[in-house]
Amino acid sequence: MKLKNIFIGLGCVLAFSSCTNEMDYHEYTVYGKDYVFTDFTRTSGFVTNIYSYLDSDLPSNGSLSSACDESEYAWSWSNVHDYYNGSWGPLNSYSLWGYYKAIREANYYLKEFPNADFSELKFDKDYQAQMNRFNRYQYEVRLLRAYYYFLLVRAYGDVPFTTNVLTEDEANKLERTPAATVFQFITDECDAVADKLPINYNDLKEDASTIGSVETGRVTRGMALALKARTLLYQASPLFNANNDLTLWKKAAEASKTVIDYCSQNSIKLGKYSALWGTDNWKASEMIFVRRIGDTNSPETTNFPVGMENGNSGNCPTQTLVDAYEMKTTGKAWDETESGYDPQKPYTNRDPRLSMTVAVNGEKWPSTNANLLETYIGGRNGLPISGATPTGYYLKKYLDGTIDISAQNSSGGKKHNWITFRLGEFYLNYAEAVFKYLGSADATNDQFTMSAKDAVNVIRNREDVKMPAFPAGLSNADFWKKYERERMVELAFEGHRFWDVRRWKEGDKFKSIVRMEISKDNSNYTYNRVIKNRIWDDKMYLFPIPDVEIRKNPNLTQNPGW
């Protein structure tokens, strides 16, 4: 998408929709500002359309999980392979530049909303409720704009930046703004709008209308605090903090602590790990903000095992990921001394989150599958069948195992929702930041009374997890190794791993993945780890600027190495 077309504010994008139990995004038409800002429904639709750009990465035909070491996409035709096969580049950039369209719409709204005239509606029964919502929209839009800038700076580093509605000529002269400046803008905006946003829309009696609708899909105070905390964690990380400025780690720890405290004060708490996905996962007790997707069976049709009717395989978890799940009894990695790992029973006595996330050979998955999984070579769901799992595993997380995708009994789609922010992430973010700031997993001070070790142990003590606690006295190297495993396990397939390895500047981890090759002899199975090499170059820490954008804007420079 051309930058000049993104920033021009000559028209308004309008989405006629309302926000009830989920955000509904409809086709839009271009109208003038006098049409949009004289009717509350049309103004509301405009704001709702800005929400429609929110990201999600539900397992599909090549999620980012398969662009890192969480999974491998089973079909060779998927573009996701370009991230590690040498095809990625400015001409094949997988551009995120489209977020500038959302930013342009936000800038346009923030410029024009003060001139809105709803005087003709003042005798409507719902007028006051509508005005309460309208007065809050400006803060919602500012937070959304900050979030979109985060998605851009995370990927590109220095990016073109503006809060104005630009002409074509102005847009095509924008230079890249330093990432530190963009990070500062994001955190400042979060601070500015947090107290203007509600904790829970269900409690807004002043928003009640005669039709009784409740807006529940919109950004909250918690999202503002969470975006600030995640932004500061990225800014403190090696990719953006080359000199390891400890004050940045301190700010990140403070912001994550604020999120944790906010959640404690507002009954947002850790629940079952298994509640993080499914039809009603947006109601889970630890959710801060969830992107509503709606009814679909796409994650199931693109990830259920080959070998069952209409199963197409897809994003197959790697052995690299499976190896991150420690042993349930000892809390040790599979390859550590006295871990309790049995190579003939590799999935026995493992972290319970493994069985919730990954489908393994010999188990019943999904529940609509008439047969037990056979992921071994020659099995019903294994190689050499076209599209069968190359890793020995199929995906469970984010999939609904009760959905029937067979031609005869198809149950159709069910609600799916993408986790944008949840409490569990911020215990991990806090642990990382306070560890980096205080220099030890056990260290505390008057401000940070919970140690990094203790923060991780909160996660491991979930009621359906109950993994052994990280012990006291871990060396820094041992803590970091265990922390990375914990983060990979807890946040698997939630869109973090692809970015975490980059912000840590540990890209060599992406030079290979491990597969599990399973063979069967009578009733005996043999499990053999196989290394699959991939291409990694340090230029991949940041995305390439799309070539088409550089050709249109002579002031737009390319990222190093591309």
Side-chain angles (χ1 to χ4, degrees), residues 506-549:
E506 296 182 0
D508 283 356
K509 285 183 166 62
F510 290 165
K511 284 187 174 180
S512 66
I513 58 169
V514 184
R515 298 167 167 175
M516 180 60 85
E517 184 180 88
I518 308 172
S519 56
K520 183 180 181 182
D521 182 11
N522 296 322
S523 60
N524 298 317
Y525 295 102
T526 300
Y527 299 89
N528 181 40
R529 285 176 168 77
V530 177
I531 303 296
K532 172 66 174 179
N533 291 322
R534 290 179 166 182
I535 293 174
W536 171 264
D537 189 295
D538 285 354
K539 67 183 181 181
M540 296 177 182
Y541 284 125
L542 296 173
F543 275 42
I545 304 293
D547 181 73
V548 65
E549 301 299 335

Side-chain angles (χ1 to χ4, degrees), residues 39-187:
D39 179 88
F40 177 76
T41 300
R42 294 192 287 265
T43 302
S44 176
F46 187 94
V47 172
T48 300
N49 195 68
I50 299 173
Y51 275 88
S52 72
Y53 296 93
L54 284 170
D55 59 319
S56 68
D57 194 27
L58 286 176
S60 61
N61 292 325
S63 300
L64 283 184
S65 64
S66 290
C68 62
D69 56 359
E70 285 183 314
S71 63
E72 182 176 4
Y73 198 71
W75 296 96
S76 62
W77 47 257
S78 174
N79 291 338
V80 75
H81 298 291
D82 293 347
Y83 282 103
Y84 55 79
N85 67 10
S87 299
W88 194 18
L91 295 174
N92 189 28
S93 63
Y94 301 100
S95 173
L96 302 180
W97 230 245
Y99 288 121
Y100 279 114
K101 185 174 182 182
I103 290 168
R104 182 264 293 166
E105 291 177 20
N107 289 342
Y108 190 90
Y109 179 86
L110 293 169
K111 175 187 176 184
E112 297 296 339
F113 88 89
N115 301 318
D117 180 9
F118 302 128
S119 57
E120 294 183 2
L121 309 177
K122 62 183 178 181
F123 297 112
D124 290 357
K125 292 181 180 180
D126 293 338
Y127 179 74
Q128 190 55 55
Q130 290 171 337
M131 291 307 98
N132 290 335
R133 295 177 183 181
F134 171 73
N135 290 332
R136 192 173 56 243
Y137 284 165
Q138 59 182 301
Y139 306 112
E140 295 180 42
V141 170
R142 287 174 67 179
L143 183 58
L144 289 170
R145 179 178 62 180
Y147 181 69
Y148 295 134
Y149 268 124
F150 169 78
L151 297 180
L152 287 163
V153 73
R154 176 178 68 173
Y156 296 104
D158 303 349
V159 291
F161 174 83
T162 185
T163 57
N164 299 318
V165 179
L166 303 181
T167 66
E168 177 179 337
D169 186 59
E170 290 170 334
N172 280 332
K173 291 179 180 177
L174 276 181
E175 298 180 352
R176 298 174 68 179
T177 296
T181 302
V182 182
F183 282 134
Q184 187 66 55
F185 169 79
I186 295 167
T187 57

